[in-house]
Amino acid sequence: MGRKGSELEPTRWGSLILLLMGLLSFSVVYFFMSSALRPPSNSAIESLTNGISENNGKNPEFESSGDGGCCKGIEKLELWGAAVKWGTEFKFNSSEQCCKACKAMCMGNDGPCLCDSWVFCGNKEACGDKFGECWLKKQKDVLAPEKQEVGNNVMWTSGIIFGRGEGIVGLETEYGTLHIKLLPECSPHSVAYILELLSLRHCAGCQFYRAEGRGQSWDINGNHIKDAMYGPPFALIQGTLEAQGQGFNQIQSEHCPTVRRGSVAWVGSGPEFFISLAHHQEWRNSYTVFGSVLPEDMVIAEKIARLPTKSDVWNNINVSVLEKTVPLKIQRVKIGGGD
């Protein structure tokens, strides 16, 4: 015999209460981690973290912060340059396939890349008989790619490829230069902004202002120590890449792998950024990673993390800010024989 409607009410209300409790718990964790990377004052920077995930003390297999699997470009952008493959005779169904064709010409260990930029026409209506054209090109200066057109009326999508020893910029500080391998195939908009800063030949106002070591939570290799807390301290150095006098447009979320030791990522949509001193699986793939510090330079990041700090509270989270900020400059770097 079927139950009466009144007999179903306790089950329905019980499920609703459990659901509300779950949402409340998630919100608390989300707020905690968002606050941990948010700078002080009334900044509009927002963190995208989704919470903390315990892993029972195991050291998980971490995803690479820069992966050869990415192949993205920027829409409504046409890069110029000498053609190494003519698009009229070289067509694909997607920009990703075009990108991979360029990358395939940049896989060797010897010499420069034969292809370091690509241009694809993927809008059927706008492209007409040019639909599917994939132009593979070679830039005179891959750190300053030549633009033919950019804007809403452009039907092309373009991207750049950095080979071994290319696409490395230096964050110069008084404690040494942090060499960073950029990831244009994964986070093209982020890298385009960094290249704009590089072209300015200055970065007045760019600086590190927060420094927190690994504490008792992560070992020297960045692995989380069993049963230890996930901070504070949060094992990072944080700063801003907004040059004074230059307008900044928020950067869309791009490549969000697991943050690893050496990952360089935006806080929210930038221009606040951080360099991680540890593997942060608990941050749940929520930060746009646009570069990676070369392993041998992590000693410089660790040195900055040991500078004198003072305690502060950001949104009820204890943080450590530098007593004296560390100015930084962005410079071009060329490394031979690989990265």
Side-chain angles (χ1 to χ4, degrees):
M1 181 170 58
R3 294 182 180 179
K4 296 179 181 178
S6 60
E7 292 177 319
L8 294 175
E9 290 301 314
T11 301
R12 184 167 60 188
W13 285 109
S15 299
L16 180 59
I17 292 172
L18 288 175
L19 176 62
L20 290 174
M21 290 177 64
L23 290 174
L24 179 61
S25 299
F26 175 84
S27 299
V28 171
V29 175
Y30 178 91
F31 177 78
F32 177 83
M33 289 309 303
S34 296
S35 301
L37 281 177
R38 188 175 296 154
S41 76
N42 294 321
S43 172
I45 301 304
E46 292 293 337
S47 173
L48 301 176
T49 37
N50 287 325
I52 296 176
S53 173
E54 289 287 350
N55 55 35
N56 298 321
K58 298 178 182 179
N59 292 326
E61 296 272 333
F62 289 99
E63 187 180 335
S64 174
S65 60
D67 195 313
C70 296
C71 232
K72 301 177 183 177
I74 297 177
E75 296 182 354
K76 305 183 189 310
L77 167 67
E78 181 184 2
L79 292 179
W80 208 231
V84 295
K85 278 281 189 180
W86 286 70
T88 52
E89 304 169 355
F90 197 62
K91 295 189 176 184
F92 290 104
N93 293 322
S94 70
S95 60
E96 183 179 4
Q97 290 174 314
C98 182
C99 171
K100 287 181 177 179
C102 181
K103 187 184 293 189
M105 300 177 68
C106 194
M107 300 297 287
N109 293 327
D110 299 322
C113 289
L114 298 177
C115 173
D116 56 22
S117 53
W118 54 272
V119 180
F120 177 76
C121 202
N123 185 320
K124 273 189 176 182
E125 183 177 343
C127 294
D129 59 2
K130 294 182 182 295
F131 175 71
E133 286 189 4
C134 173
W135 292 78
L136 304 186
K137 301 186 176 186
K138 179 69 176 175
Q139 299 292 322
K140 292 181 180 179
D141 182 356
V142 72
L143 289 180
E146 188 178 354
K147 298 177 183 178
Q148 174 69 358
E149 288 186 286
V150 60
N152 290 329
N153 295 325
V154 178
M155 61 188 182
W156 301 93
T157 295
S158 299
I160 57 176
I161 304 290
F162 290 143
R164 295 179 65 82
E166 297 180 325
I168 298 174
V169 298
L171 297 186
E172 181 185 356
T173 75
E174 59 187 296
Y175 301 99
T177 299
L178 292 158
H179 296 89
I180 296 173
K181 175 73 171 182
L182 298 175
L183 309 175
E185 303 144 64
C186 295
S187 299
H189 292 88
S190 299
V191 171
Y193 175 71
I194 299 301
L195 296 186
E196 286 181 13
L197 285 181
L198 191 64
S199 68
L200 295 176
R201 301 185 184 278
H202 78 86
C203 197
C206 297
Q207 61 183 344
F208 289 111
Y209 54 74
R210 175 186 179 187
E212 299 184 11
R214 290 173 281 106
Q216 303 299 315
S217 298
W218 293 273
D219 64 23
I220 193 172
N221 296 315
N223 298 311
H224 184 252
I225 297 172
K226 183 178 180 180
D227 297 329
M229 295 181 62
Y230 284 93
F234 291 99
L236 55 82
I237 55 177
Q238 182 175 335
T240 182
L241 287 174
E242 182 175 18
Q244 292 177 358
Q246 299 296 320
F248 178 83
N249 296 319
Q250 290 191 336
I251 298 173
Q252 65 188 57
S253 178
E254 297 189 284
H255 182 51
C256 297
T258 298
V259 171
R260 294 176 58 90
R261 176 175 166 83
S263 292
V264 186
W266 297 119
V267 178
S269 302
E272 315 301 319
F273 79 108
F274 67 90
I275 296 175
S276 179
L277 305 180
H279 304 316
H280 282 292
Q281 189 196 29
E282 77 279 10
W283 287 349
R284 290 181 176 269
N285 307 80
S286 298
Y287 294 100
T288 292
V289 174
F290 59 89
S292 183
V293 176
L294 299 191
E296 57 268 29
D297 288 345
M298 286 303 294
V299 294
I300 299 171
E302 295 277 4
K303 185 185 299 184
I304 294 174
R306 291 194 295 269
L307 293 175
T309 60
K310 55 186 177 182
S311 298
D312 201 352
V313 178
W314 297 354
N315 303 292
N316 297 319
I317 303 297
N318 294 323
V319 298
S320 298
V321 296
L322 290 165
E323 291 184 357
K324 180 182 178 183
T325 59
V326 177
L328 60 88
K329 299 178 182 178
I330 299 182
Q331 60 180 214
R332 298 172 66 99
V333 174
K334 177 67 177 179
I335 296 179
D339 38 27

